[in-house]
Amino acid sequence: MFRLGYVAAGFLALIAVIMGAADSPSVAAYYSSFESRIGYWLLLGNTRHCGLYEKGALSPFPITKAQRKMEEKLYTRLGLGSGKLLDASAGSGYVAMYMAFKGFDVQAIDITPHHLQDARKNVKANGLESKVAVDYGDYHNLTSFAPEPFDGIYTMETFVHADNPEKVLSNFYRLLKPGGVLGLHEADFSRNSEKLQDVLRLSHCQNTLEEGGYERLLSKGGFNEYSIEDLTDEVLPMWRLFGIVGYVPYQIFKVFGIENRFINVMAGVEVWLNWGNGRYISVRAIKP
């Protein structure tokens, strides 16, 4: 695994020198970059979210099992027995499929073309076309949906990409039925820095909320019942893996001044080195 990571890093370095990188990429550009696509494929099996582990666990393997546990956690936090869900930025569709296997009907949306292709392919391969609909959709503009069609709405590490978090939350509120549940598995931070802002900007997460921001946003958005669960310790094994695998390539990239062209390597190492400056949280809110 480590040797594979270093070989991949060397190849990516050559690509970066040739191709360059955007200073402020869009969400689609970030996920469509060669580094993102090869990295998610090599390390995460093309699933675009963290795994959930027992506190104190050292090994991140098997990663796919931990990712299913994270999906189970989101399902449990939603606390819904059945109904219709909106997966607001579905990636390759793994979370939507998990929810479908639990009995839900899922409307999955995304704005990245290859995500939509992957999700449709995965849904079809698992025989879930009648349970999961995959369509282009931007959670900043959900006017194509009538008010209150969903029993639940969730994001899995994608609300951090919102250009306008308040508008997105307002859209979610409009689409939830009374008593409907919003589930967000996301990140916030307690200590800001220039390096953190570089990481957030290059991964199009520049509006990531500071600690306490979700409480204020939910209250302002009309949600009067909400809870936040800190899962930071339970995602550490995966981020430790990112930090260890990426450390040497990251130092090499820094020598040549090209570290900003490898945002996932940068993020993996910097988050690991500065563990404790941010949190991975599970947010649950109910529409009155």
Side-chain angles (χ1 to χ4, degrees):
M1 175 62 71
F2 296 105
R3 183 178 298 175
L4 180 61
Y6 295 147
V7 171
F11 180 63
L12 288 171
L14 177 61
I15 296 294
V17 171
I18 296 172
M19 298 180 62
D23 289 331
S24 297
S26 65
V27 173
Y30 163 69
Y31 280 111
S32 298
S33 71
F34 187 79
E35 188 223 7
S36 286
R37 296 184 74 161
I38 196 71
Y40 281 113
W41 176 67
L42 279 174
L43 292 178
L44 299 183
N46 225 23
T47 300
R48 292 165 180 83
H49 65 75
C50 290
L52 187 69
Y53 302 86
E54 296 294 330
K55 288 185 178 181
L58 296 177
S59 172
F61 305 109
I63 289 175
T64 55
K65 182 179 179 180
Q67 289 171 325
R68 299 296 85 78
K69 286 185 176 180
M70 183 63 82
E71 293 156 12
E72 175 72 19
K73 181 67 176 182
L74 178 58
Y75 163 75
T76 302
R77 287 284 282 162
L78 286 173
L80 296 168
S82 61
K84 186 173 183 179
L85 303 178
L86 175 65
D87 185 325
S89 298
S92 295
Y94 288 99
V95 184
M97 291 190 296
Y98 187 92
M99 298 300 175
F101 282 127
K102 289 292 187 178
F104 291 97
D105 295 311
V106 185
Q107 172 64 66
I109 62 172
D110 207 285
I111 63 172
T112 304
H114 78 272
H115 286 180
L116 295 170
Q117 293 172 3
D118 287 348
R120 288 168 180 151
K121 179 181 177 180
N122 290 332
V123 167
K124 183 177 181 179
N126 284 275
L128 293 171
E129 298 100 316
S130 65
K131 300 291 292 182
V132 181
V134 180
D135 295 297
Y136 175 88
D138 183 344
Y139 57 26
H140 293 90
N141 182 3
L142 298 174
T143 55
S144 60
F145 294 103
E148 302 181 351
F150 296 108
D151 300 282
I153 298 174
Y154 63 84
T155 64
M156 182 69 92
E157 304 172 23
T158 55
F159 190 79
V160 289
H161 292 303
D163 293 320
N164 187 334
E166 290 187 2
K167 182 177 181 180
V168 174
L169 190 68
S170 176
N171 289 339
F172 291 166
Y173 188 91
R174 183 182 73 88
L175 296 187
L176 278 172
K177 296 177 181 179
V181 181
L182 176 67
L184 310 173
H185 276 204
E186 302 294 342
D188 62 9
F189 66 90
S190 58
R191 181 180 296 178
N192 206 344
S193 68
E194 183 177 346
K195 182 58 67 176
L196 172 64
Q197 290 305 312
D198 282 344
V199 170
L200 296 179
R201 172 177 53 83
L202 292 168
S203 58
H204 197 90
C205 298
Q206 57 265 42
N207 291 309
T208 297
L209 301 177
E210 295 188 40
E211 191 169 328
Y214 278 97
E215 292 92 333
R216 292 188 292 270
L217 191 66
L218 290 166
S219 180
K220 184 177 179 180
F223 292 92
N224 58 13
E225 183 179 345
Y226 51 84
S227 65
I228 294 179
E229 186 173 346
D230 188 343
L231 303 177
T232 308
D233 290 342
E234 286 96 321
V235 300
L236 175 56
M238 180 174 283
W239 283 96
R240 185 189 293 118
L241 172 67
F242 296 158
I244 293 173
V245 169
Y247 185 80
V248 171
Y250 183 51
Q251 302 309 316
I252 295 172
F253 297 157
K254 287 172 70 175
V255 169
F256 290 96
I258 59 172
E259 68 273 18
N260 283 7
R261 301 181 186 181
F262 302 96
I263 179 53
N264 295 300
V265 175
M266 175 191 284
V269 176
E270 291 293 345
V271 168
W272 177 53
L273 292 177
N274 295 281
W275 197 255
N277 292 345
R279 301 186 301 171
Y280 187 103
I281 55 176
S282 173
V283 181
R284 184 180 192 269
I286 300 175
K287 178 177 177 177

